[in-house]
């Protein structure tokens, strides 16, 4: 039986860190029954990041998002970003949306040491 990456599997791994026994990489590889000698967890994570990063420049903002954040900033309303993305991935994504990062008072990424 051929295994597939389904929305159910996606739902199980979303928000998890990439590494470790509870990480999304091992969860996917285990669910798809891909043995370590065929594709290691580390290599899989590298390949996923390489593929996803090709699309970062195409991510568009929701209409009105910057305007809303600008209004928050003008009224001194604190803005925080919390993401399960690792910092290196977040930084690459946000390189295309620098104003959001400038407005944010706090940014927490999934691999921040404070979360341990």
């Amino acid at each position: 039986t051929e295994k597939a990456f389904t929305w159910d599997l996606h739902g199980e791994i979303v928000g998890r860190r990439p590494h470790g026994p509870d990480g999304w990489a091992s969860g996917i590889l285990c669910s798809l029954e891909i043995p370590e000698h065929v594709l290691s967890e580390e290599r899989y994570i590298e390949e996923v990041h390489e593929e996803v990063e090709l699309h970062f420049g195409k991510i568009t903002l929701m209409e009105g998002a910057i305007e809303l954040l600008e209004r928050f900033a003008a009224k001194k309303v604190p803005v925080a970003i919390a993401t399960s993305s690792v910092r290196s991935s977040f930084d690459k994504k946000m390189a295309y949306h620098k104003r959001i990062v400038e407005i944010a008072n706090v940014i927490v990424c999934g691999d921040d040491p404070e979360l341990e």
Side-chain angles (χ1 to χ4, degrees), residues 70-90:
E70 294 283 2
R71 285 170 53 208
F72 286 162
K75 295 189 180 289
K76 308 260 188 267
V77 175
V79 173
I81 298 172
T83 177
S84 61
S85 294
V86 297
R87 178 67 63 167
S88 60
S89 180
F90 173 81

Side-chain angles (χ1 to χ4, degrees), residues 19-73:
H19 299 89
D22 293 326
W24 57 256
S26 64
I28 292 169
L29 294 173
C30 181
S31 292
L32 299 179
E33 299 177 1
I34 299 172
E36 175 78 15
H37 71 274
V38 173
L39 181 62
S40 72
E41 179 180 310
E42 279 304 315
R43 184 65 197 140
Y44 180 59
I45 293 167
E46 289 171 16
E47 289 182 15
V48 167
H49 284 158
E50 288 169 8
E51 181 64 30
V52 170
E53 288 170 12
L54 296 174
H55 303 281
F56 286 166
K58 301 172 193 167
I59 298 172
T60 58
L61 297 176
M62 291 179 71
E63 187 177 327
I66 287 292
E67 293 79 6
L68 177 63
L69 293 172
E70 294 283 2
R71 285 170 53 208
F72 286 162

